Amino acid sequence: MILVFGGTTEGRKAVEVLEEAGTPYYYSTKMGEQDIALHHGSRLDGAMDAGAMRLFCQEDGIRLIVDAAHPFALQLHQTIAEVSETLNIPVIRYERIYPPRDPDITWIDDYSQVPTDIHSLLATTGVQSIGKLKPLEDTGIKVFYRILDRESSIAMAKKQGATNDQLCFYEDANDIPVEAEAILLKESGISGGFPEKVEAAKARGMRIIALKRPHLSPLTSHLSFVNGPYGLRRAVEKLLPEFYPLHSGLTTGTCATAAAVAATLQLLKKEALDDSSFFTLHSSLPNEVPVILPDGETIMVPVGYGDDYAYCVKEAGDDPDVTNGIEVRAIVEQTLRLGEREMITIEGGEGVGTFTLPGFDYPPGEAAINKAPREMIRHNLQTILSPLTSPLSPLVVTISVPQGAEIARRTFNPRLGIEGGISIIGVSGIVKPFSEEAFVDSIRKCMTVAQASGSERVVINSGGKSERFVKALYPNLPQQAFVEYGNYIGETLKIAHELGIPNITLGVMLGKAVKLAAGHLDTHSRKATMDKAFIQQMLDEARITVDLSTITLARELWEKIPQEKLQDFATTIIRHCDAYCRPLLPNGRLTILLIDDEGHIYH
């Protein structure tokens, strides 16, 4: 059993990660006032001292603790560490991501260091800090306290001596409700909205004072750190393997990035060591390297080293993938600056395919390394190199997969026009596996929550990108009203019918839309592929002339169809999609929206 300490944005994210397992867990908050939906978790409200926490862990069989509490909750962090050490329970600390400290901000270590050469101060550091800031009033500073507009917070503020005219409330996180010379913030990280609060204060010309986040030293030997949802899931899978029925894996893009990071460290170490023998060099290199994923979080990835390269073994988890176990290698070399050569050039080596047709992120002739992995590699290497006072000359990163040519024959790559090897792909950096039954079950839970939210409409989307575009059309709907269907459009509509949801909006992008229009209610590539003959039929119906001979991906149609004919084509696709979808929702109203890559929406 897992015990989560939350009440924060990280706590909410931890719940989302754990809910994917469908396994029971506990979620604890001090005040019990966080609005959060738990399906498999049981809620615990109220603070725990060391004795109460120890007893609960023993009686309820807690085998893993997730510390997702606020970074300033020092006493709770210390209590968790004490219980962990006493009971030998591992702890995952879910930390926040922090931007670099702005030199224009006055940074302080505690409340006693707030400068007294100001006339008025807006304190946004929470109701519990009021007592610590009251001495400032004795120096003649007018202090305003911005707190949550709820009875418990107001009562606590007044108990510490705050008056009605000193209290102001949140309308939104970045609101500055009073005129004050300076503002006091906590270094709350990106998820705490710190950058936005700073920008709002700068726009008002306010002096900014920030309380540094406390240094959370590892008070227990059983502590590991994560700073994002993917890292949390992988840490849980490692420490409590049975919690998830299926385990996650790494994309080839993440493996290539890890290998490139390790190869860069190898190059830097060679530059620094006089004795560059294999043993001396490799004994000083890490067997895990940090990889920053596209969402900004960092995960640790195992790596190894050869004579002049580094490698990462592809780990697919429980996702069926023919690339599982392959070795993704990287060689990083310095080169002379030639013309406009970039500081970091990425090339494909043995076993990495080549694009031979248009429609991909890069033109024919380029190595089949997609845009997201290239950006990951560059960003991670720039992070390593930026602190160096004497940067290396331009680097060439060559990615290779020794078994790639053979494995590629068992993929869709030849059909897509990728020849000579596999493609290096991955948008998120992590592969989250789901059995069909588990995924459909998770959709059902989300649809049930959407219905319970009281929303007049539920909007179903294929993923985060389409959801982001469609949300702009429905700004007043609650977050719970947006549900991801993945590939299971038919199953999602059947669930909507079973639950009696009256209004459904289906957002779909072109790749899935052309499959749905042909009658494929499950659009997974294992079950449905792009049917050019049927696309040609729809083009004929819309009276559009397009040469499909070179098309490998449906999204290329957006560029090939004349601008004035796009709506005609969209109307035709939507009509075919509607013919298959509407019978699944006989008592409801269905709206289908076709979305292009730029976010334009066709009705």
Side-chain angles (χ1 to χ4, degrees):
M1 188 72 85
I2 296 177
L3 172 59
V4 181
F5 289 94
T8 56
T9 301
E10 288 68 37
R12 189 181 298 279
K13 291 179 180 177
V15 164
E16 293 175 1
V17 172
L18 298 185
E19 285 286 337
E20 293 171 357
T23 305
Y25 63 94
Y26 291 103
Y27 184 74
S28 174
T29 62
K30 181 179 180 180
M31 303 299 293
E33 295 177 320
Q34 186 180 29
D35 181 18
I36 190 167
L38 305 177
H39 304 294
H40 301 287
S42 298
R43 187 157 191 158
L44 305 172
D45 296 331
M48 291 188 192
D49 60 18
M53 190 184 300
R54 186 166 53 249
L55 182 63
F56 181 84
C57 289
Q58 289 173 319
E59 292 183 345
D60 288 80
I62 301 302
R63 297 173 55 201
L64 176 63
I65 295 174
V66 176
D67 180 0
H70 196 281
F72 284 79
L74 281 176
Q75 183 57 58
L76 177 55
H77 297 310
Q78 292 169 355
T79 301
I80 291 171
E82 178 185 330
V83 171
S84 164
E85 198 67 20
T86 302
L87 300 181
N88 294 317
I89 298 175
V91 175
I92 302 169
R93 182 175 289 160
Y94 194 149
E95 294 206 322
R96 298 184 175 187
I97 299 173
Y98 295 91
R101 285 180 176 160
D102 186 340
D104 292 332
I105 294 175
T106 300
W107 295 92
I108 61 174
D109 294 303
D110 59 62
Y111 294 103
S112 67
Q113 296 176 351
V114 174
T116 55
D117 60 341
I118 53 177
H119 301 290
S120 56
L121 175 71
L122 171 60
T124 68
T125 46
V127 68
Q128 296 183 19
S129 68
I130 292 176
K132 299 172 184 176
L133 293 170
K134 290 297 287 183
L136 287 175
E137 298 176 30
D138 297 331
T139 68
I141 298 175
K142 176 67 174 178
V143 184
F144 299 96
Y145 303 103
R146 190 177 72 177
I147 65 173
L148 295 175
D149 188 6
R150 59 190 185 196
E151 291 183 8
S152 59
S153 296
I154 294 171
M156 189 180 300
K158 291 187 174 180
K159 187 176 181 180
Q160 296 176 82
T163 60
N164 285 333
D165 67 323
Q166 288 182 287
L167 297 181
C168 50
F169 306 101
Y170 287 88
E171 291 188 11
D172 64 60
N174 305 324
D175 184 41
I176 299 178
V178 297
E179 293 292 335
E181 179 184 345
I183 187 170
L184 176 62
L185 306 172
K186 282 182 175 178
E187 187 183 14
S188 55
I190 291 174
S191 66
F194 184 77
E196 292 79 9
K197 293 171 186 174
V198 168
E199 288 306 310
K202 284 184 176 181
R204 297 280 288 270
M206 302 176 77
R207 180 177 177 181
I208 303 170
I209 305 161
L211 183 68
K212 297 177 186 175
R213 66 185 185 274
H215 176 65
L216 300 177
S217 57
L219 302 175
T220 171
S221 57
H222 308 292
L223 183 64
S224 56
F225 295 87
V226 301
N227 65 354
Y230 295 130
L232 175 60
R233 173 160 180 154
R234 289 179 62 77
V236 172
E237 290 171 350
K238 179 179 179 180
L239 295 169
L240 202 64
E242 67 273 23
F243 186 79
Y244 287 97
L246 298 173
H247 288 188
S248 64
L250 304 174
T251 64
T252 50
T254 295
C255 294
T257 303
V261 168
T264 302
L265 296 177
Q266 185 181 40
L267 177 62
L268 293 171
K269 191 67 72 172
K270 279 183 179 179
E271 295 283 319
L273 285 176
D274 294 329
D275 178 4
S276 58
S277 70
F278 184 89
F279 177 78
T280 303
L281 174 64
H282 291 82
S283 63
S284 62
L285 290 170
N287 56 16
E288 282 189 329
V289 295
V291 171
I292 304 170
L293 299 179
D295 71 349
E297 69 171 290
T298 301
I299 63 170
M300 299 302 294
V301 180
V303 293
Y305 304 90
D307 285 330
D308 60 351
Y309 65 89
Y311 66 87
C312 175
V313 175
K314 169 67 185 287
E315 171 198 338
D318 287 313
D319 190 60
D321 190 334
V322 296
T323 63
N324 185 47
I326 64 171
E327 195 174 276
V328 181
R329 295 180 178 180
I331 296 175
V332 177
E333 301 170 292
Q334 297 184 66
T335 183
L336 296 176
R337 183 182 292 275
L338 300 174
E340 297 300 318
R341 178 181 284 277
E342 298 181 47
M343 285 300 297
I344 299 173
T345 300
I346 300 168
E347 298 180 349
E350 176 191 2
V352 172
T354 301
F355 296 129
T356 64
L357 295 174
F360 294 97
D361 291 335
Y362 297 93
E366 282 277 344
I369 304 174
N370 285 0
K371 183 178 179 180
R374 290 185 194 231
E375 290 178 346
M376 276 181 67
I377 292 171
R378 286 198 177 93
H379 178 57
N380 277 268
L381 298 198
Q382 287 164 353
T383 301
I384 295 172
L385 299 173
S386 60
L388 300 178
T389 55
S390 300
L392 298 171
S393 57
L395 301 180
V396 175
V397 180
T398 304
I399 304 298
S400 62
V401 182
Q403 300 169 280
E406 176 189 346
I407 290 171
R409 299 189 188 100
R410 290 179 272 157
T411 71
F412 281 108
N413 280 6
R415 185 184 305 177
L416 294 174
I418 299 173
E419 297 181 358
I422 67 167
S423 50
I424 305 298
I425 58 174
V427 176
S428 68
I430 295 293
V431 178
K432 290 198 297 183
F434 287 97
S435 67
E436 181 171 343
E437 180 182 359
F439 198 101
V440 172
D441 185 50
S442 70
I443 293 172
R444 184 178 299 278
K445 292 185 180 74
C446 291
M447 293 289 280
T448 302
V449 172
Q451 184 184 44
S453 73
S455 174
E456 62 182 14
R457 177 176 299 275
V458 175
V459 182
I460 61 175
N461 306 277
S462 59
K465 185 176 182 180
S466 61
E467 179 177 308
R468 186 171 69 252
F469 293 143
V470 174
K471 269 186 174 178
L473 291 182
Y474 300 103
N476 297 322
L477 292 185
Q479 174 61 42
Q480 298 93 325
F482 296 87
V483 175
E484 182 177 332
Y485 58 71
N487 289 298
Y488 302 107
I489 298 173
E491 292 295 334
T492 305
L493 292 173
K494 290 176 185 176
I495 292 168
H497 171 63
E498 292 169 11
L499 295 175
I501 297 174
N503 297 295
I504 293 288
T505 293
L506 165 62
V508 62
M509 300 189 81
L510 192 56
K512 294 185 187 297
V514 295
K515 296 177 183 179
L516 179 60
H520 299 288
L521 293 165
D522 179 347
T523 58
H524 196 286
S525 59
R526 291 195 300 268
K527 298 186 177 181
T529 57
M530 182 178 68
D531 185 343
K532 283 190 180 182
F534 182 68
I535 292 175
Q536 185 62 60
Q537 176 188 321
M538 290 192 291
L539 288 168
D540 292 342
E541 291 175 18
R543 298 181 180 178
I544 300 171
T545 302
V546 170
D547 179 10
L548 298 181
S549 62
T550 61
I551 286 181
T552 56
L553 300 172
R555 69 186 188 192
E556 295 173 62
L557 290 166
W558 292 121
E559 299 296 329
K560 288 186 173 289
I561 296 174
Q563 186 74 27
E564 66 275 10
K565 286 289 190 178
L566 288 176
Q567 182 61 61
D568 293 339
F569 183 58
T571 300
T572 303
I573 291 180
I574 291 171
R575 175 165 49 81
H576 281 277
C577 291
D578 187 80
Y580 289 103
C581 293
R582 191 166 298 278
L584 303 178
L585 199 68
N587 302 321
R589 290 178 292 277
L590 176 65
T591 301
I592 299 178
L593 305 176
L594 180 63
I595 310 163
D596 73 11
D597 291 342
E598 303 300 320
H600 301 119
I601 296 175
Y602 298 86
H603 298 259

